[in-house]
Amino acid sequence: MRFFLSVILIALLSAAAEYFFPWWAVAVVAFVVSAFIRQKPGKSFLAGFSGIGMFWLTACLVHDSANGHILSARMAALFHLPNYVLFIVVTVFVGGLVGGLSAWAGALIRPKTD
């Protein structure tokens, strides 16, 4: 249950943070959520990866369909990718890695209470 709570909190708080702050605010959100919700580091990584990945996928699809895939097609051409869908996949993967690594770090700063 904590895993799903972490994923949802990370996704929603990241959406709010990106409205006011730069793109890297999602890393701070994932770090703080994982520091407060006690989980194993592996589960925290997956929660951060999933939460930020879901948020960035939703944001990419909303913004990309609004402009007719023009920007993502041009960026895909710039990076020599065959189509804009692959560019979106790479973008979501990079965002997921940022969220996962920061959530992992947030889980590791908690002291062990064994």
Side-chain angles (χ1 to χ4, degrees), residues 67-83:
N67 69 14
H69 312 290
I70 294 171
L71 181 61
S72 60
R74 289 184 182 175
M75 291 302 293
L78 181 68
F79 287 111
H80 302 291
L81 297 173
N83 55 19

Side-chain angles (χ1 to χ4, degrees), residues 5-110:
L5 177 66
S6 294
V7 170
I8 297 300
L9 270 176
I10 289 171
L12 291 177
L13 292 175
S14 294
E18 281 228 356
Y19 188 74
F20 296 107
F21 301 111
W23 70 269
W24 50 265
V26 298
V28 176
V29 169
F31 182 87
V32 169
V33 169
S34 292
F36 282 112
I37 297 179
R38 185 176 298 273
Q39 292 185 47
K40 292 183 179 180
K43 280 194 173 184
S44 290
F45 177 85
L46 288 176
F49 189 92
S50 301
I52 302 301
M54 283 187 337
F55 166 63
W56 274 19
L57 179 63
T58 304
C60 281
L61 292 178
V62 167
H63 294 300
D64 195 43
S65 63
N67 69 14
H69 312 290
I70 294 171
L71 181 61
S72 60
R74 289 184 182 175
M75 291 302 293
L78 181 68
F79 287 111
H80 302 291
L81 297 173
N83 55 19
Y84 69 90
V85 175
L86 187 59
F87 178 73
I88 291 174
V89 168
V90 169
T91 302
V92 169
F93 182 73
V94 169
L97 278 179
V98 168
L101 290 174
S102 61
W104 181 52
L108 289 176
I109 66 160
R110 295 189 67 95

